[in-house]
Amino acid sequence: MSLSLATANTVQRLWLLFPALIIYFLIILSYGVGAQNSSNITNVGAIINGNSRIGKEQKTAMEIAAETFNNRSKTHKLILHFRDSGTDPFLAASAAEELIKEKKVEAIVGMETWQEAAQVADLVGNQAQIPVISFAAPSITPPLMQHHWPFLIRMAADGSAQMKCIADIVSAYHWKRVVVIYEDDGYGGDVGMLALLSEVLQDVGSKIEHRLVLPRVSSLSNPNWVELEELLKLPTMQSRVYIVFQSSLPTVAHLFRVAEKMGLVGKESAWIITESITSLLDPHETSDISSTMKGTLGIKTYYAKNTNSFATFQKQFQTKYPEEGNPEPGIYALRAYDAIRIIAQAIGRMTSNNSTSLQLLLNTLFSNYTGLSGKMRFEAGEILYSPVLRIINIVDGKRFKELNFWTPDVGFSLEETGKIRDGDAGGVIWPGNLTHVPKGWAMPTAAKPMKIGVPGKTSFSKFVKVDPSLDNSDKKKYVGFCIAIFDMVIERLNYSLPYEFEAFDGLYDDLVERVHNKVYDAAVGDITVLAGRLEKVEFTQPYMESGLSMIVPAKPEKSTWMFMKPFTWQMWVVSGAILIYTMFVVWFLERPSNPEFGGPLKNQIGTATWFTFSSLFFSHREKIYSNLTRLVVVVWLFVVLILTSSYTANLSSMLTIQRLKPNVTDIEILKRTNSKIGCDGDSFVMDYLQTVLGFKIENIVKVSSEYKYTKKFKSKTISAAFLELPYAQVFMNEYCEGYTSTAPTYRFGGLSFIFQRGSPIARDFTKAILELLENGELKKLQNDWLTPKNECPKNVTSNGPESLSLNSFTGLYVISGVTSSFCFLLSLAVWGRRFQQQEAHQGNASPSPSEETLWNKTVRIARFFYSRELNIPTRAPTSANYAEEWHSPRWDYSTASNTPEHPRTIRPTEIECIQQE
């Protein structure tokens, strides 16, 4: 009984201790598990803008990525700690510091703006030495960025690619002026973007005409946005191409409502929005903002939507982000999702015994990673690949369509690979349902026509003439060649262009300034294209060439030696030399056999000279016995035929065409003699004569009318007149007698019309003028207005034919010279052989070569040649037996042998050559 009682007491005591033991074991177990979990938890800080749609999408995407990792991992957990910065850089830095100290975060992600990212990386990242992953990027990548922020990784590319894409759009549609609109962020974050956009626009020939800075939403006092309407009231702003970037969605919504109210949406306008705004638009959204933005072009970063991973993420995103009806995640949400996934992968590779830091693992993973936002390749914290952009077009209030792709290397293309190129953004639906590309300019209307300035006072009325007696609204008040061209161009435009002329009585430079200062929309007249003017206005294609021409009085040229002018002096000298050489060769060849070339030496020279000169007129009568001479004479007669025909033709032209000899031929003579010169005082020519040509101002006379030039010449007031080439042509056409003009030595840009810089109408005028030049209509119009046929049908200012030079007859002279030389050398070789035969017959009669001097030998050779006796055949040898006659024995008579049968006779001339010993 007692035993059982003790046993019962023991069991009772153990039963009482059992709960305490269970609690003890549970405490130990929970402590062990907690210690184990705390060692595998990674805290990550996320800094976002909780009030913006981008921030909300980023928060949802990061939560999905963290939840997916925590569900799959049994050993590691990732906890996100969100902080709201409101895009304030200082709040972002403060939040990052608090996350590091209190939450012990090992990495920080987020930062919607680059100012936030730079502040966090500078004040927090470098001190705590933890990775900072930014979703933003600077407009222009700073130099030595990795050295300054070694722990910063940015997932977005800088703004250079997006700005180049905008510039390509502007260039593709030939817009020359744009207006940039952006919201003030209070930190000057758009300065780099503006500088980059201005630079790339200059590369394509465009320019930012105006910058419109919108106030921040929090700074607006009036909910009706009266301030915004006042900002858009810019009467001098002609451009209608608007580029909007870095603005919040409420600001953009009110901007388009006010712009539509003011008539700036449509009516030849074009709107372009950047990715920061495009990403806020939903293709399924039906709000009023999309309807007011109809026809707007936008830019988005391309990412693949046809993968299973994107479909899974989109389904999760739509479940967790119910604020918008059936939303589609944007590029900012995809980057946030990829950032957390990369951090999760880095955590998964870390073990308790692994000393590799999270920064090194992130750098390794980021070096080559393909996520939902696309392929990434980072080096030294910078993204290295070129992004692929997609052009979108807002169609209506319910949807927008995707157009062409764009890459920095290729430009516009039909595929994301860039293989199929295209010239523009694609099939765009423009604001106002325009069927053509908007001009991007404030086009004139009937209520506000284009105001065109016309020179009221011109020196040559055939170009522009204003009749002051008529009313300004009467189109007949303005006539002339330039007005006729303008009318033809207007007829070729494919749109209506209301305009009104206004006479301007001032200098041409002042008229250009009026267009530059936007007093006139354009100017029509004989306006010369100059480099200084090109910086102020837009010129069309020149309709006439221009240059500086000098006009001087002239008189008919008279010369006593006119008969010498058909040939140049070099031609006369060479012709005379060939004649003398031919005469010598004929004498040399004919003397042995032709009795007419015999007798004393002076008779021989006279006969040879007479024969050669008489052959110039084909009147020679001397017989020719040598076939070699015949060959020389045939070639010579051919030369004579060509020379006489050319001489006769050129001399006839010189005597037939009247030649005017100018009184002054050189500008330097005018400057040296301080002669007076005339020019148009209202044009740039007067200043050009002083600054470029160096004329003194006191020697320049202003001439106000074309009719006064002749009076100035007749009164000897001026010695020369300097006119632009078109005016010189008109003057010479009307006053063709007694004046001559020089070819323009100094060239200018030509005559053209001018418009305001960036005006698309100038390009349309250029195209129409080119068509008129190509089809010949402009040339016909020029002949009808400026050089009518009945005024000066005969061009008496021609320089006439020039003297014939040696270059035209070099080949002819070479043939004659070679032929004569060949026959001469051939005959000389034959007589040399005869001389050797004579030396062999004489034997010892001749002195030995060692005893004879060179002079004596030369004298003997000359005696031998000159002592050749004539062998007069009964008829001239024919070409058939010519070679036989050269080598037959009857030619031996010419040797110098002294035999009884043929006693040697010494002629007087030969006696004179005998050496006296």
Side-chain angles (χ1 to χ4, degrees):
M1 183 69 182
S2 60
L3 181 61
S4 60
L5 181 61
T7 303
N9 292 333
T10 303
V11 171
Q12 184 178 5
R13 291 172 181 170
L14 292 173
W15 177 255
L16 293 174
L17 292 173
F18 183 75
L21 292 173
I22 293 176
I23 293 173
Y24 175 77
F25 283 114
L26 288 176
I27 291 174
I28 293 176
L29 181 63
S30 63
Y31 178 80
V33 173
Q36 181 180 3
N37 289 341
S38 63
S39 62
N40 294 317
I41 290 177
T42 301
N43 296 304
V44 176
I47 301 176
I48 61 173
N49 181 13
N51 297 324
S52 68
R53 175 172 172 174
I54 292 178
K56 294 176 182 179
E57 289 187 2
Q58 289 174 342
K59 183 176 184 294
T60 302
M62 287 188 284
E63 288 175 345
I64 294 174
E67 182 180 344
T68 302
F69 173 76
N70 292 335
N71 292 337
R72 293 179 181 178
S73 177
K74 297 180 180 180
T75 58
H76 297 81
K77 298 298 178 183
L78 191 151
I79 299 178
L80 298 175
H81 303 276
F82 291 96
R83 294 293 183 272
D84 186 2
S85 66
T87 67
D88 189 327
F90 300 103
L91 290 179
S94 176
E97 189 175 3
E98 181 263 334
L99 287 171
I100 294 174
K101 291 181 179 180
E102 297 184 6
K103 299 301 179 180
K104 309 297 180 184
V105 296
E106 300 181 29
I108 297 178
V109 298
M111 286 74 72
E112 187 175 322
T113 64
W114 175 247
Q115 290 79 11
E116 295 177 83
Q119 193 77 6
V120 171
D122 197 14
L123 299 180
V124 180
N126 292 348
Q127 297 176 6
Q129 296 186 353
I130 64 172
V132 177
I133 303 176
S134 170
F135 299 152
S139 302
I140 304 174
T141 302
L144 303 176
M145 176 177 171
Q146 182 62 19
H147 178 74
H148 189 60
W149 297 304
F151 296 94
L152 176 62
I153 301 173
R154 57 181 179 90
M155 296 187 64
D158 59 25
S160 59
Q162 191 172 183
M163 294 301 103
K164 289 180 181 178
C165 179
I166 293 176
D168 280 357
I169 294 176
V170 172
S171 176
Y173 298 111
H174 308 290
W175 298 323
K176 298 299 182 182
R177 292 290 184 273
V178 301
V179 178
V180 176
I181 304 175
Y182 59 93
E183 183 179 2
D184 182 21
D185 62 355
Y187 303 100
D190 299 306
V191 175
M193 195 75 75
L194 279 173
L196 187 59
L197 180 60
S198 178
E199 180 180 350
V200 296
L201 285 176
Q202 288 181 1
D203 294 339
V204 297
S206 300
K207 185 180 180 181
I208 297 177
E209 182 183 20
H210 187 77
R211 293 184 302 168
L212 182 60
V213 184
L214 303 179
R216 302 181 69 181
V217 178
S218 58
S219 65
L220 290 175
S221 59
N222 193 327
N224 294 325
W225 292 70
V226 178
E227 293 90 340
L228 179 59
E229 187 171 350
E230 292 296 326
L231 289 173
L232 289 175
K233 290 180 179 179
L234 298 173
T236 60
M237 187 173 63
Q238 293 291 94
S239 175
R240 291 296 181 266
V241 179
Y242 303 97
I243 300 174
V244 187
F245 57 83
Q246 302 295 354
S247 301
S248 62
L249 192 59
T251 302
V252 174
H254 286 287
L255 171 65
F256 274 89
R257 291 190 186 102
V258 174
E260 185 181 31
K261 177 183 177 182
M262 298 179 63
L264 299 179
V265 178
K267 295 183 180 180
E268 303 294 342
S269 300
W271 290 78
I272 304 174
I273 56 178
T274 57
E275 186 174 27
S276 60
I277 303 173
T278 307
S279 60
L280 302 177
L281 304 178
D282 197 304
H284 306 285
E285 187 180 357
T286 58
S287 61
D288 293 336
I289 179 176
S290 296
S291 60
T292 57
M293 295 175 65
K294 181 180 179 181
T296 301
L297 293 177
I299 300 173
K300 294 181 66 175
T301 300
Y302 171 76
Y303 53 88
K305 300 180 181 180
N306 54 356
T307 61
N308 294 331
S309 57
F310 179 82
T312 302
F313 171 73
Q314 184 179 15
K315 184 176 181 181
Q316 294 174 336
F317 184 85
Q318 292 173 351
T319 303
K320 287 185 172 291
Y321 189 64
E323 296 186 20
E324 303 289 344
N326 194 24
E328 181 177 299
I331 186 64
Y332 294 97
L334 299 182
R335 287 173 181 162
Y337 179 82
D338 288 339
I340 300 301
R341 283 192 62 189
I342 292 176
I343 293 176
Q345 291 183 20
I347 294 172
R349 295 186 182 186
M350 296 177 64
T351 61
S352 58
N353 297 326
N354 192 353
S355 60
T356 305
S357 65
L358 180 61
Q359 179 72 37
L360 293 177
L361 289 174
L362 289 176
N363 290 337
T364 303
L365 292 173
F366 272 114
S367 63
N368 192 3
Y369 179 80
T370 302
L372 295 182
S373 59
K375 185 178 180 180
M376 306 177 194
R377 193 169 72 86
F378 294 84
E379 184 176 324
E382 296 185 33
I383 189 168
L384 297 182
Y385 75 97
S386 298
V388 179
L389 302 180
R390 190 73 184 265
I391 313 300
I392 68 164
N393 183 209
I394 300 178
V395 178
D396 51 34
K398 296 183 179 180
R399 62 188 178 91
F400 60 76
K401 66 175 182 177
E402 295 180 337
L403 304 179
N404 286 346
F405 296 88
W406 184 91
T407 58
D409 298 331
V410 178
F412 297 108
S413 61
L414 301 178
E415 295 181 352
E416 66 273 13
T417 57
K419 294 181 179 180
I420 305 178
R421 301 186 62 180
D422 201 3
D424 51 33
V428 183
I429 297 178
W430 299 105
N433 294 321
L434 290 178
T435 57
H436 60 273
V437 177
K439 298 294 181 183
W441 196 259
M443 298 298 289
T445 60
K448 189 179 179 181
M450 184 169 62
K451 193 175 181 180
I452 302 176
V454 179
K457 295 180 179 179
T458 58
S459 299
F460 290 83
S461 58
K462 288 187 177 182
F463 288 89
V464 178
K465 183 179 180 180
V466 179
D467 190 351
S469 62
L470 299 177
D471 186 71
N472 195 45
S473 60
D474 191 352
K475 295 295 180 66
K476 295 181 180 179
K477 179 178 181 179
Y478 305 92
V479 295
F481 173 62
C482 300
I483 304 300
I485 296 176
F486 179 82
D487 293 337
M488 295 181 68
V489 172
I490 290 294
E491 294 176 358
R492 287 183 168 269
L493 298 180
N494 56 3
Y495 54 88
S496 175
L497 188 67
Y499 67 92
E500 61 180 17
F501 288 136
E502 181 176 313
F504 176 75
D505 296 332
L507 300 178
Y508 281 80
D509 288 337
D510 296 336
L511 179 59
V512 173
E513 287 292 335
R514 290 291 186 95
V515 178
H516 174 63
N517 296 329
K518 300 182 180 180
V519 177
Y520 294 134
D521 297 311
V524 172
D526 48 343
I527 305 172
T528 306
V529 181
L530 298 176
R533 297 173 178 177
L534 194 62
E535 299 295 328
K536 300 178 180 180
V537 294
E538 194 90 20
F539 282 92
T540 64
Q541 166 68 30
Y543 53 83
M544 283 192 73
E545 64 177 351
S546 178
L548 192 61
S549 180
M550 182 177 70
I551 296 178
V552 295
K555 56 185 178 180
E557 183 179 5
K558 298 179 181 179
S559 177
T560 306
W561 299 93
M562 177 66 72
F563 69 93
M564 296 290 292
K565 290 191 174 181
F567 290 159
T568 61
W569 68 269
Q570 295 93 337
M571 186 76 174
W572 285 113
V573 170
V574 175
S575 300
I578 290 292
L579 185 145
I580 294 173
Y581 182 66
T582 305
M583 177 184 67
F584 168 75
V585 173
V586 169
W587 169 78
F588 182 83
L589 296 177
E590 286 296 311
R591 183 187 174 279
S593 57
N594 196 333
E596 297 184 8
F597 286 84
L601 181 60
K602 61 180 181 179
N603 292 342
Q604 298 178 27
I605 295 176
T607 302
T609 304
W610 169 255
F611 175 82
T612 308
F613 274 94
S614 61
S615 64
L616 295 175
F617 311 99
F618 304 96
S619 60
H620 54 284
R621 297 184 178 182
E622 290 79 8
K623 293 183 178 180
I624 298 175
Y625 290 85
S626 173
N627 285 329
L628 291 178
T629 308
R630 289 190 178 95
L631 178 60
V632 172
V633 171
V634 167
V635 175
W636 168 247
L637 292 178
F638 177 73
V639 173
V640 169
L641 175 65
I642 299 298
L643 291 180
T644 54
S645 301
S646 302
Y647 177 87
T648 304
N650 203 25
L651 181 61
S652 300
S653 300
M654 290 182 174
L655 295 176
T656 303
I657 300 177
Q658 182 184 6
R659 296 168 58 88
L660 296 179
K661 183 179 180 181
N663 294 342
V664 180
T665 58
D666 191 6
I667 294 178
E668 296 300 326
I669 298 177
L670 294 173
K671 293 193 293 184
R672 248 188 343 259
T673 57
N674 288 326
S675 301
K676 299 290 184 179
I677 59 174
C679 70
D680 185 2
D682 296 334
S683 69
F684 71 97
V685 175
M686 183 173 181
D687 183 65
Y688 188 86
L689 292 174
Q690 299 178 55
T691 57
V692 179
L693 299 184
F695 283 98
K696 298 178 181 179
I697 182 63
E698 58 269 18
N699 293 331
I700 302 177
V701 179
K702 296 182 180 180
V703 184
S704 59
S705 173
E706 60 178 306
Y707 306 106
K708 293 184 178 181
Y709 280 102
T710 56
K711 296 180 180 179
K712 297 290 185 182
F713 278 123
K714 291 178 181 179
S715 62
K716 307 293 184 180
T717 305
I718 59 176
S719 300
F722 286 88
L723 300 175
E724 290 187 69
L725 181 60
Y727 308 140
Q729 292 175 350
V730 173
F731 182 87
M732 294 304 302
N733 182 75
E734 188 168 355
Y735 305 100
C736 48
E737 296 182 0
Y739 298 97
T740 182
S741 63
T742 61
T745 306
Y746 304 92
R747 293 285 183 177
F748 306 130
L751 301 186
S752 176
F753 302 150
I754 60 174
F755 291 83
Q756 294 180 12
R757 291 285 292 172
S759 173
I761 306 177
R763 183 176 181 274
D764 297 336
F765 265 62
T766 293
K767 181 181 178 181
I769 291 174
L770 287 173
E771 292 175 353
L772 294 174
L773 287 171
E774 292 171 0
N775 60 24
E777 293 185 30
L778 199 55
K779 181 62 177 176
K780 181 180 178 182
L781 191 67
Q782 177 180 341
N783 294 334
D784 294 341
W785 276 94
L786 305 181
T787 56
K789 297 180 180 180
N790 58 350
E791 290 191 3
C792 190
K794 186 176 181 181
N795 185 10
V796 297
T797 63
S798 172
N799 292 329
E802 297 180 354
S803 300
L804 298 175
S805 64
L806 186 62
N807 295 331
S808 304
F809 301 93
T810 303
L812 193 65
Y813 288 148
V814 169
I815 294 174
S816 176
V818 170
T819 304
S820 299
S821 299
F822 172 76
C823 294
F824 172 74
L825 294 176
L826 182 59
S827 177
L828 190 63
V830 172
W831 287 110
R833 184 171 60 86
R834 296 302 181 194
F835 177 74
Q836 292 177 355
Q837 292 177 358
Q838 174 185 312
E839 293 293 310
H841 286 305
Q842 288 182 351
N844 296 330
S846 299
S848 61
S850 59
E851 298 176 355
E852 187 178 19
T853 62
L854 179 61
W855 171 254
N856 292 336
K857 186 173 182 179
T858 304
V859 171
R860 288 196 306 110
I861 294 175
R863 287 176 180 175
F864 168 76
F865 169 76
Y866 195 76
S867 62
R868 294 175 298 175
E869 296 180 356
L870 295 177
N871 181 18
I872 305 174
T874 57
R875 60 180 180 86
T878 61
S879 58
N881 57 7
Y882 184 77
E884 179 182 354
E885 291 178 356
W886 269 105
H887 302 285
S888 61
R890 60 192 180 122
W891 284 90
D892 292 339
Y893 71 91
S894 61
T895 62
S897 59
N898 189 11
T899 61
E901 291 81 9
H902 301 285
R904 182 183 178 208
T905 60
I906 300 178
R907 299 172 181 172
T909 55
E910 185 180 358
I911 296 175
E912 296 175 358
C913 297
I914 298 176
Q915 184 177 3
Q916 300 295 328
E917 298 182 0

